[in-house]
Amino acid sequence: MTTEHPQQPQEQSGHTRSGHTRRRFLAGAGGVAGALALWPAGRASAAGGKRVAVLGGGVSGLSAAHELAERGYAVTVYEYYDALGGKARSMPVPGTATGGRADLPAEHGFRFFPGFYRNLPDTMRRIPVPGNAHGVHDNLVSGTEALFARAGGRPDLHFPLRRATTPPRPGDLTPGWIRDQLLSVLDLGTRLPAHEAAYFADRLLVHLTSCDARREGQWEKVAWWDFIRAEEMSEEYRTLLGVGQTRNLVATRAEVASTRTVGRVIIEALLLWGLLGRGMDGDADIDRVLNAPTSEAWIDPWEAHLRSLGVEFVLGTQVREVRHDAGRVSGVHVSARDGGDERTVTADHYVSALPVEHARLTWGPALRAADPQLARCDALQADWMTGVMFYLRTPTPVVHGHVNCLDSPWSVTAVGQAQFWNGRDFPRDYGDGRARDCLSAIISEWDKPGILYGKTAKECTKEEVVAELWAQLKDGLNDAGKTTLRDEDRLGWFMDPAVTGLGGPDPRNREQLLIHPTGTLYNRPTARTKVPNFFLAGDYVRTDVDLATMEGANESARLAVNALLDADNSDAERCEIWELYRPPELEPLKRVDEVRYKLGLPNTFDLG
């Protein structure tokens, strides 16, 4: 840390996929003992002793290792860092612990688990935790409200995030009913001109009733900004419905973000169906977080469970090249992170679970020639979305959920952490006993000037980034006659060490996030490659959830494992895959639109 001194599940549509019907041995609870009882010493022989090298120990790599180990494969995970979890992990702030406490917890950026996530929660249920009937899943708690903080004296917008207690009955979900509900929310929660709210509601109806072919062939090529005609609308419209739904949430600029992705995931799955309580993970609310620092609540129990299943981890390892010979991957050239200890590791199968910006560097000409989709990954784009943890002297929950600072030039979002950490107490458990809270803030826009120095985040030094970020947080939270953040409460801060070179000629961030400009879908690869023993997992892989998320990472791992099982002619149960909710009431309208799209006609509700 840098101190402040000078220096019950609803299955309405049944959208799951599974190659086999035998239930997974860890369904529900049961824990490690149950796992070992059901798969004793002969576990590895269930897959004929086949060995799998998983490259990367983030969410996708650990998810793949989990599924493979349950099916009897001998799995070794190779990870660059000295800890597992990738961008999802939390990390200790070195040198901050005294008096028998743990170091202060920090992270790349806060985690949240929307209620529409279903693949990842299924995995979390199968990670045993003492005292938890449903494993790690029981460590998820709901955020009940979202705060859209405004600067310049504009009134803040508060949105309750509890799912509907009386969801619409079958037959209620008509275009007219949806439009009325949208207008009601926009009227109560925003100050948009009536005609702009009506236009936005109509645009959402266009997307909701568009067939898959139109979404992929038309809306994937149209920027969200253009789809909602943001340029022609008020500043409030552009800020709330353009930037606030893209840059602040998924680090993609509204001017280039794919309408298919924004409309399908952010607007439909996260907000609309979430509020209506459809297609959710059991009785989940829209927004969930963990009840402790991420590694304590999730990653550490996951590692322990995987080790109990026989998974091996080789940490501090740099993957240099995936080698291709005679139509197959013949081995992987790796080294220690500092470049020493170079060697080649071999296995029967290989799962590349590195982020795309690192994975594609390991694919040589021979491998790329074997499968052209690998070369198309060079067109995929990643951007910076990381943040700063502020440690505070007094509890400062702000709101019981996430904060979106709509007017911040750096597209700042934040959450007060400690309020959710059941059984964790900052003075007793962490640091030197002075910190009472942690405000975790994320910068999604690193290339626009700030309000203090007139420089972009990348042009600022770390200290300037911290000062600028704090100023933008105060600008959003300390208005309308209230003072939420006080300078004297700030004890210190921490930024992910993956960010280096700030303020210099070559700023770098090793942990970037895939973004979704128009046309991204066409360059995303499938988990199955044309190389029979090589598979891809990661949030850049084409999945149903589409968005670069932990859910996408987990779903891609399931797809990769299923492809591997097919290649092995295995009779093991295939991984079940949950797809995004599709309301059956809208399917007839989508079928009509499919005909119209084939005829070159616009969507029925698309009046221009």
Side-chain angles (χ1 to χ4, degrees), residues 1-30:
M1 177 177 70
T2 299
T3 64
E4 293 306 328
H5 305 297
Q7 183 5 136
Q8 132 204 112
Q10 297 189 5
E11 301 282 355
Q12 297 96 331
S13 61
H15 282 277
T16 63
R17 300 196 302 263
S18 180
H20 292 250
T21 57
R22 181 172 61 83
R23 290 304 304 155
R24 192 179 288 105
F25 82 99
L26 274 180

PDB file of all heavy atoms in Angstrom, residues 1-30:
ATOM      1  N   MET A   1       0.844  -1.197   0.000  1.00  0.00           N
ATOM      2  CA  MET A   1       0.000   0.000   0.000  1.00  0.00           C
ATOM      3  C   MET A   1       0.870   1.234   0.000  1.00  0.00           C
ATOM      4  O   MET A   1       1.897   1.288   0.665  1.00  0.00           O
ATOM      5  CB  MET A   1      -0.898   0.000   1.245  1.00  0.00           C
ATOM      6  CG  MET A   1      -1.776   1.253   1.371  1.00  0.00           C
ATOM      7  SD  MET A   1      -2.886   1.199   2.792  1.00  0.00           S
ATOM      8  CE  MET A   1      -1.740   1.381   4.147  1.00  0.00           C
ATOM      9  N   THR A   2       0.431   2.236  -0.716  1.00  0.00           N
ATOM     10  CA  THR A   2       1.071   3.539  -0.636  1.00  0.00           C
ATOM     11  C   THR A   2       0.280   4.372   0.357  1.00  0.00           C
ATOM     12  O   THR A   2      -0.928   4.521   0.228  1.00  0.00           O
ATOM     13  CB  THR A   2       1.078   4.230  -2.004  1.00  0.00           C
ATOM     14  OG1 THR A   2       1.819   3.408  -2.907  1.00  0.00           O
ATOM     15  CG2 THR A   2       1.716   5.587  -1.910  1.00  0.00           C
ATOM     16  N   THR A   3       0.955   4.897   1.382  1.00  0.00           N
ATOM     17  CA  THR A   3       0.251   5.669   2.384  1.00  0.00           C
ATOM     18  C   THR A   3       0.021   7.080   1.896  1.00  0.00           C
ATOM     19  O   THR A   3       0.526   7.500   0.855  1.00  0.00           O
ATOM     20  CB  THR A   3       1.050   5.722   3.696  1.00  0.00           C
ATOM     21  OG1 THR A   3       2.272   6.418   3.449  1.00  0.00           O
ATOM     22  CG2 THR A   3       1.363   4.321   4.187  1.00  0.00           C
ATOM     23  N   GLU A   4      -0.733   7.823   2.694  1.00  0.00           N
ATOM     24  CA  GLU A   4      -1.059   9.186   2.301  1.00  0.00           C
ATOM     25  C   GLU A   4      -0.024  10.193   2.800  1.00  0.00           C
ATOM     26  O   GLU A   4      -0.263  11.376   2.799  1.00  0.00           O
ATOM     27  CB  GLU A   4      -2.448   9.555   2.853  1.00  0.00           C
ATOM     28  CG  GLU A   4      -3.562   8.755   2.210  1.00  0.00           C
ATOM     29  CD  GLU A   4      -3.557   8.849   0.715  1.00  0.00           C
ATOM     30  OE1 GLU A   4      -3.172   9.884   0.167  1.00  0.00           O
ATOM     31  OE2 GLU A   4      -3.947   7.874   0.068  1.00  0.00           O
ATOM     32  N   HIS A   5       1.105   9.713   3.304  1.00  0.00           N
ATOM     33  CA  HIS A   5       2.178  10.648   3.617  1.00  0.00           C
ATOM     34  C   HIS A   5       2.808  11.027   2.294  1.00  0.00           C
ATOM     35  O   HIS A   5       2.627  10.364   1.307  1.00  0.00           O
ATOM     36  CB  HIS A   5       3.186   9.976   4.551  1.00  0.00           C
ATOM     37  CG  HIS A   5       2.509   9.448   5.770  1.00  0.00           C
ATOM     38  ND1 HIS A   5       1.883  10.241   6.676  1.00  0.00           N
ATOM     39  CD2 HIS A   5       2.337   8.182   6.200  1.00  0.00           C
ATOM     40  CE1 HIS A   5       1.375   9.484   7.632  1.00  0.00           C
ATOM     41  NE2 HIS A   5       1.628   8.240   7.359  1.00  0.00           N
ATOM     42  N   PRO A   6       3.599  12.095   2.309  1.00  0.00           N
ATOM     43  CA  PRO A   6       4.150  12.500   1.019  1.00  0.00           C
ATOM     44  C   PRO A   6       4.554  11.269   0.276  1.00  0.00           C
ATOM     45  O   PRO A   6       5.615  10.742   0.394  1.00  0.00           O
ATOM     46  CB  PRO A   6       5.267  13.433   1.402  1.00  0.00           C
ATOM     47  CG  PRO A   6       4.745  14.058   2.634  1.00  0.00           C
ATOM     48  CD  PRO A   6       3.972  12.982   3.334  1.00  0.00           C
ATOM     49  N   GLN A   7       4.216  11.156   0.014  1.00  0.00           N
ATOM     50  CA  GLN A   7       4.125   9.934  -0.690  1.00  0.00           C
ATOM     51  C   GLN A   7       2.792   8.964  -0.461  1.00  0.00           C
ATOM     52  O   GLN A   7       2.337   8.963   0.490  1.00  0.00           O
ATOM     53  CB  GLN A   7       5.149   9.071  -0.370  1.00  0.00           C
ATOM     54  CG  GLN A   7       4.912   7.996  -1.214  1.00  0.00           C
ATOM     55  CD  GLN A   7       4.004   7.726  -2.256  1.00  0.00           C
ATOM     56  OE1 GLN A   7       4.505   7.241  -3.141  1.00  0.00           O
ATOM     57  NE2 GLN A   7       2.777   7.965  -2.276  1.00  0.00           N
ATOM     58  N   GLN A   8     -34.237 -21.338  -6.046  1.00  0.00           N
ATOM     59  CA  GLN A   8     -34.772 -22.440  -6.671  1.00  0.00           C
ATOM     60  C   GLN A   8     -34.783 -22.098  -8.103  1.00  0.00           C
ATOM     61  O   GLN A   8     -35.681 -21.466  -8.479  1.00  0.00           O
ATOM     62  CB  GLN A   8     -36.068 -22.616  -5.958  1.00  0.00           C
ATOM     63  CG  GLN A   8     -37.227 -22.813  -6.717  1.00  0.00           C
ATOM     64  CD  GLN A   8     -38.316 -22.388  -5.859  1.00  0.00           C
ATOM     65  OE1 GLN A   8     -38.821 -21.533  -6.138  1.00  0.00           O
ATOM     66  NE2 GLN A   8     -38.712 -22.930  -4.908  1.00  0.00           N
ATOM     67  N   PRO A   9     -34.243 -22.911  -9.022  1.00  0.00           N
ATOM     68  CA  PRO A   9     -33.885 -22.235 -10.257  1.00  0.00           C
ATOM     69  C   PRO A   9     -35.042 -22.181 -11.248  1.00  0.00           C
ATOM     70  O   PRO A   9     -35.766 -23.119 -11.398  1.00  0.00           O
ATOM     71  CB  PRO A   9     -32.765 -23.120 -10.807  1.00  0.00           C
ATOM     72  CG  PRO A   9     -32.279 -23.911  -9.656  1.00  0.00           C
ATOM     73  CD  PRO A   9     -33.469 -24.094  -8.770  1.00  0.00           C
ATOM     74  N   GLN A  10     -35.191 -21.073 -11.913  1.00  0.00           N
ATOM     75  CA  GLN A  10     -36.255 -20.934 -12.911  1.00  0.00           C
ATOM     76  C   GLN A  10     -35.731 -21.364 -14.274  1.00  0.00           C
ATOM     77  O   GLN A  10     -34.721 -20.858 -14.738  1.00  0.00           O
ATOM     78  CB  GLN A  10     -36.736 -19.482 -12.965  1.00  0.00           C
ATOM     79  CG  GLN A  10     -37.346 -19.049 -11.635  1.00  0.00           C
ATOM     80  CD  GLN A  10     -38.015 -17.712 -11.747  1.00  0.00           C
ATOM     81  OE1 GLN A  10     -38.114 -17.148 -12.826  1.00  0.00           O
ATOM     82  NE2 GLN A  10     -38.495 -17.206 -10.630  1.00  0.00           N
ATOM     83  N   GLU A  11     -36.436 -22.303 -14.899  1.00  0.00           N
ATOM     84  CA  GLU A  11     -35.979 -22.878 -16.174  1.00  0.00           C
ATOM     85  C   GLU A  11     -37.055 -22.681 -17.234  1.00  0.00           C
ATOM     86  O   GLU A  11     -37.459 -23.603 -17.910  1.00  0.00           O
ATOM     87  CB  GLU A  11     -35.703 -24.381 -15.991  1.00  0.00           C
ATOM     88  CG  GLU A  11     -34.651 -24.691 -14.935  1.00  0.00           C
ATOM     89  CD  GLU A  11     -33.259 -24.449 -15.438  1.00  0.00           C
ATOM     90  OE1 GLU A  11     -33.119 -24.130 -16.627  1.00  0.00           O
ATOM     91  OE2 GLU A  11     -32.318 -24.600 -14.651  1.00  0.00           O
ATOM     92  N   GLN A  12     -37.553 -21.449 -17.363  1.00  0.00           N
ATOM     93  CA  GLN A  12     -38.684 -21.246 -18.254  1.00  0.00           C
ATOM     94  C   GLN A  12     -38.409 -21.732 -19.667  1.00  0.00           C
ATOM     95  O   GLN A  12     -39.269 -22.290 -20.322  1.00  0.00           O
ATOM     96  CB  GLN A  12     -39.074 -19.752 -18.299  1.00  0.00           C
ATOM     97  CG  GLN A  12     -39.551 -19.224 -16.951  1.00  0.00           C
ATOM     98  CD  GLN A  12     -38.447 -18.546 -16.207  1.00  0.00           C
ATOM     99  OE1 GLN A  12     -37.271 -18.891 -16.367  1.00  0.00           O
ATOM    100  NE2 GLN A  12     -38.789 -17.588 -15.372  1.00  0.00           N
ATOM    101  N   SER A  13     -37.203 -21.474 -20.163  1.00  0.00           N
ATOM    102  CA  SER A  13     -36.938 -21.810 -21.558  1.00  0.00           C
ATOM    103  C   SER A  13     -36.087 -23.057 -21.709  1.00  0.00           C
ATOM    104  O   SER A  13     -35.939 -23.559 -22.804  1.00  0.00           O
ATOM    105  CB  SER A  13     -36.225 -20.642 -22.245  1.00  0.00           C
ATOM    106  OG  SER A  13     -35.003 -20.383 -21.606  1.00  0.00           O
ATOM    107  N   GLY A  14     -35.557 -23.569 -20.606  1.00  0.00           N
ATOM    108  CA  GLY A  14     -34.777 -24.792 -20.663  1.00  0.00           C
ATOM    109  C   GLY A  14     -33.549 -24.723 -21.528  1.00  0.00           C
ATOM    110  O   GLY A  14     -33.169 -25.708 -22.147  1.00  0.00           O
ATOM    111  N   HIS A  15     -32.909 -23.567 -21.609  1.00  0.00           N
ATOM    112  CA  HIS A  15     -31.774 -23.412 -22.521  1.00  0.00           C
ATOM    113  C   HIS A  15     -30.488 -23.901 -21.877  1.00  0.00           C
ATOM    114  O   HIS A  15     -29.679 -23.137 -21.396  1.00  0.00           O
ATOM    115  CB  HIS A  15     -31.638 -21.959 -22.969  1.00  0.00           C
ATOM    116  CG  HIS A  15     -32.623 -21.606 -24.031  1.00  0.00           C
ATOM    117  ND1 HIS A  15     -32.428 -21.876 -25.350  1.00  0.00           N
ATOM    118  CD2 HIS A  15     -33.851 -21.043 -23.941  1.00  0.00           C
ATOM    119  CE1 HIS A  15     -33.466 -21.465 -26.059  1.00  0.00           C
ATOM    120  NE2 HIS A  15     -34.347 -20.963 -25.224  1.00  0.00           N
ATOM    121  N   THR A  16     -30.325 -25.227 -21.838  1.00  0.00           N
ATOM    122  CA  THR A  16     -29.058 -25.822 -21.439  1.00  0.00           C
ATOM    123  C   THR A  16     -28.668 -26.817 -22.495  1.00  0.00           C
ATOM    124  O   THR A  16     -29.501 -27.322 -23.247  1.00  0.00           O
ATOM    125  CB  THR A  16     -29.158 -26.538 -20.069  1.00  0.00           C
ATOM    126  OG1 THR A  16     -30.089 -27.632 -20.189  1.00  0.00           O
ATOM    127  CG2 THR A  16     -29.653 -25.576 -18.991  1.00  0.00           C
ATOM    128  N   ARG A  17     -27.371 -27.101 -22.546  1.00  0.00           N
ATOM    129  CA  ARG A  17     -26.874 -28.091 -23.494  1.00  0.00           C
ATOM    130  C   ARG A  17     -25.984 -29.068 -22.752  1.00  0.00           C
ATOM    131  O   ARG A  17     -25.135 -28.672 -21.955  1.00  0.00           O
ATOM    132  CB  ARG A  17     -26.054 -27.434 -24.609  1.00  0.00           C
ATOM    133  CG  ARG A  17     -26.808 -26.421 -25.422  1.00  0.00           C
ATOM    134  CD  ARG A  17     -26.054 -26.138 -26.704  1.00  0.00           C
ATOM    135  NE  ARG A  17     -24.711 -25.670 -26.448  1.00  0.00           N
ATOM    136  CZ  ARG A  17     -24.344 -24.419 -26.425  1.00  0.00           C
ATOM    137  NH1 ARG A  17     -25.233 -23.471 -26.602  1.00  0.00           N
ATOM    138  NH2 ARG A  17     -23.090 -24.061 -26.219  1.00  0.00           N
ATOM    139  N   SER A  18     -26.165 -30.332 -22.997  1.00  0.00           N
ATOM    140  CA  SER A  18     -25.307 -31.336 -22.396  1.00  0.00           C
ATOM    141  C   SER A  18     -25.318 -32.562 -23.287  1.00  0.00           C
ATOM    142  O   SER A  18     -26.368 -32.992 -23.754  1.00  0.00           O
ATOM    143  CB  SER A  18     -25.804 -31.712 -20.993  1.00  0.00           C
ATOM    144  OG  SER A  18     -24.958 -32.692 -20.425  1.00  0.00           O
ATOM    145  N   GLY A  19     -24.137 -33.141 -23.523  1.00  0.00           N
ATOM    146  CA  GLY A  19     -24.047 -34.294 -24.399  1.00  0.00           C
ATOM    147  C   GLY A  19     -24.508 -35.581 -23.754  1.00  0.00           C
ATOM    148  O   GLY A  19     -24.887 -36.514 -24.420  1.00  0.00           O
ATOM    149  N   HIS A  20     -24.468 -35.665 -22.409  1.00  0.00           N
ATOM    150  CA  HIS A  20     -24.866 -36.875 -21.695  1.00  0.00           C
ATOM    151  C   HIS A  20     -25.793 -36.481 -20.557  1.00  0.00           C
ATOM    152  O   HIS A  20     -25.814 -35.342 -20.116  1.00  0.00           O
ATOM    153  CB  HIS A  20     -23.640 -37.596 -21.137  1.00  0.00           C
ATOM    154  CG  HIS A  20     -22.762 -38.181 -22.205  1.00  0.00           C
ATOM    155  ND1 HIS A  20     -22.646 -39.515 -22.421  1.00  0.00           N
ATOM    156  CD2 HIS A  20     -21.967 -37.577 -23.126  1.00  0.00           C
ATOM    157  CE1 HIS A  20     -21.796 -39.735 -23.423  1.00  0.00           C
ATOM    158  NE2 HIS A  20     -21.374 -38.564 -23.869  1.00  0.00           N
ATOM    159  N   THR A  21     -26.572 -37.429 -20.042  1.00  0.00           N
ATOM    160  CA  THR A  21     -27.556 -37.118 -19.018  1.00  0.00           C
ATOM    161  C   THR A  21     -27.113 -37.515 -17.621  1.00  0.00           C
ATOM    162  O   THR A  21     -27.756 -37.149 -16.651  1.00  0.00           O
ATOM    163  CB  THR A  21     -28.877 -37.828 -19.327  1.00  0.00           C
ATOM    164  OG1 THR A  21     -28.639 -39.229 -19.435  1.00  0.00           O
ATOM    165  CG2 THR A  21     -29.463 -37.305 -20.638  1.00  0.00           C
ATOM    166  N   ARG A  22     -26.053 -38.307 -17.457  1.00  0.00           N
ATOM    167  CA  ARG A  22     -25.613 -38.711 -16.113  1.00  0.00           C
ATOM    168  C   ARG A  22     -25.238 -37.476 -15.314  1.00  0.00           C
ATOM    169  O   ARG A  22     -24.481 -36.640 -15.752  1.00  0.00           O
ATOM    170  CB  ARG A  22     -24.401 -39.656 -16.216  1.00  0.00           C
ATOM    171  CG  ARG A  22     -23.907 -40.137 -14.852  1.00  0.00           C
ATOM    172  CD  ARG A  22     -22.843 -41.208 -15.042  1.00  0.00           C
ATOM    173  NE  ARG A  22     -21.702 -40.689 -15.772  1.00  0.00           N
ATOM    174  CZ  ARG A  22     -20.715 -39.999 -15.207  1.00  0.00           C
ATOM    175  NH1 ARG A  22     -20.756 -39.723 -13.920  1.00  0.00           N
ATOM    176  NH2 ARG A  22     -19.703 -39.562 -15.935  1.00  0.00           N
ATOM    177  N   ARG A  23     -25.793 -37.363 -14.093  1.00  0.00           N
ATOM    178  CA  ARG A  23     -25.551 -36.179 -13.297  1.00  0.00           C
ATOM    179  C   ARG A  23     -24.128 -36.126 -12.814  1.00  0.00           C
ATOM    180  O   ARG A  23     -23.504 -37.132 -12.498  1.00  0.00           O
ATOM    181  CB  ARG A  23     -26.486 -36.139 -12.085  1.00  0.00           C
ATOM    182  CG  ARG A  23     -27.936 -35.889 -12.451  1.00  0.00           C
ATOM    183  CD  ARG A  23     -28.111 -34.619 -13.243  1.00  0.00           C
ATOM    184  NE  ARG A  23     -27.585 -33.490 -12.544  1.00  0.00           N
ATOM    185  CZ  ARG A  23     -27.169 -32.390 -13.166  1.00  0.00           C
ATOM    186  NH1 ARG A  23     -27.207 -32.292 -14.470  1.00  0.00           N
ATOM    187  NH2 ARG A  23     -26.715 -31.375 -12.462  1.00  0.00           N
ATOM    188  N   ARG A  24     -23.621 -34.931 -12.702  1.00  0.00           N
ATOM    189  CA  ARG A  24     -22.266 -34.694 -12.215  1.00  0.00           C
ATOM    190  C   ARG A  24     -22.156 -35.115 -10.768  1.00  0.00           C
ATOM    191  O   ARG A  24     -23.062 -34.891  -9.973  1.00  0.00           O
ATOM    192  CB  ARG A  24     -21.938 -33.212 -12.364  1.00  0.00           C
ATOM    193  CG  ARG A  24     -20.510 -32.871 -12.170  1.00  0.00           C
ATOM    194  CD  ARG A  24     -20.292 -31.383 -12.366  1.00  0.00           C
ATOM    195  NE  ARG A  24     -20.409 -31.006 -13.759  1.00  0.00           N
ATOM    196  CZ  ARG A  24     -21.467 -30.379 -14.253  1.00  0.00           C
ATOM    197  NH1 ARG A  24     -22.474 -30.063 -13.491  1.00  0.00           N
ATOM    198  NH2 ARG A  24     -21.508 -30.062 -15.523  1.00  0.00           N
ATOM    199  N   PHE A  25     -21.043 -35.744 -10.390  1.00  0.00           N
ATOM    200  CA  PHE A  25     -20.947 -36.361  -9.065  1.00  0.00           C
ATOM    201  C   PHE A  25     -20.937 -35.366  -7.937  1.00  0.00           C
ATOM    202  O   PHE A  25     -21.198 -35.708  -6.789  1.00  0.00           O
ATOM    203  CB  PHE A  25     -19.711 -37.267  -8.995  1.00  0.00           C
ATOM    204  CG  PHE A  25     -18.427 -36.536  -8.700  1.00  0.00           C
ATOM    205  CD1 PHE A  25     -17.904 -36.490  -7.427  1.00  0.00           C
ATOM    206  CD2 PHE A  25     -17.748 -35.905  -9.711  1.00  0.00           C
ATOM    207  CE1 PHE A  25     -16.718 -35.834  -7.174  1.00  0.00           C
ATOM    208  CE2 PHE A  25     -16.559 -35.241  -9.457  1.00  0.00           C
ATOM    209  CZ  PHE A  25     -16.045 -35.208  -8.182  1.00  0.00           C
ATOM    210  N   LEU A  26     -20.675 -34.098  -8.228  1.00  0.00           N
ATOM    211  CA  LEU A  26     -20.638 -33.108  -7.152  1.00  0.00           C
ATOM    212  C   LEU A  26     -21.852 -32.187  -7.166  1.00  0.00           C
ATOM    213  O   LEU A  26     -21.804 -31.101  -6.613  1.00  0.00           O
ATOM    214  CB  LEU A  26     -19.369 -32.253  -7.255  1.00  0.00           C
ATOM    215  CG  LEU A  26     -18.139 -32.846  -6.580  1.00  0.00           C
ATOM    216  CD1 LEU A  26     -16.968 -31.896  -6.759  1.00  0.00           C
ATOM    217  CD2 LEU A  26     -18.367 -33.097  -5.111  1.00  0.00           C
ATOM    218  N   ALA A  27     -22.942 -32.601  -7.807  1.00  0.00           N
ATOM    219  CA  ALA A  27     -24.118 -31.734  -7.844  1.00  0.00           C
ATOM    220  C   ALA A  27     -24.564 -31.411  -6.426  1.00  0.00           C
ATOM    221  O   ALA A  27     -24.673 -32.278  -5.577  1.00  0.00           O
ATOM    222  CB  ALA A  27     -25.242 -32.430  -8.605  1.00  0.00           C
ATOM    223  N   GLY A  28     -24.834 -30.139  -6.192  1.00  0.00           N
ATOM    224  CA  GLY A  28     -25.232 -29.728  -4.855  1.00  0.00           C
ATOM    225  C   GLY A  28     -24.046 -29.623  -3.944  1.00  0.00           C
ATOM    226  O   GLY A  28     -23.113 -28.885  -4.193  1.00  0.00           O
ATOM    227  N   ALA A  29     -24.050 -30.392  -2.838  1.00  0.00           N
ATOM    228  CA  ALA A  29     -22.951 -30.312  -1.882  1.00  0.00           C
ATOM    229  C   ALA A  29     -22.220 -31.636  -1.865  1.00  0.00           C
ATOM    230  O   ALA A  29     -22.186 -32.368  -2.822  1.00  0.00           O
ATOM    231  CB  ALA A  29     -23.502 -29.946  -0.510  1.00  0.00           C
ATOM    232  N   GLY A  30     -21.650 -31.990  -0.745  1.00  0.00           N
ATOM    233  CA  GLY A  30     -20.941 -33.258  -0.640  1.00  0.00           C
ATOM    234  C   GLY A  30     -19.506 -33.068  -0.297  1.00  0.00           C
ATOM    235  O   GLY A  30     -18.910 -33.863   0.412  1.00  0.00           O
TER     236      GLY A  30
END
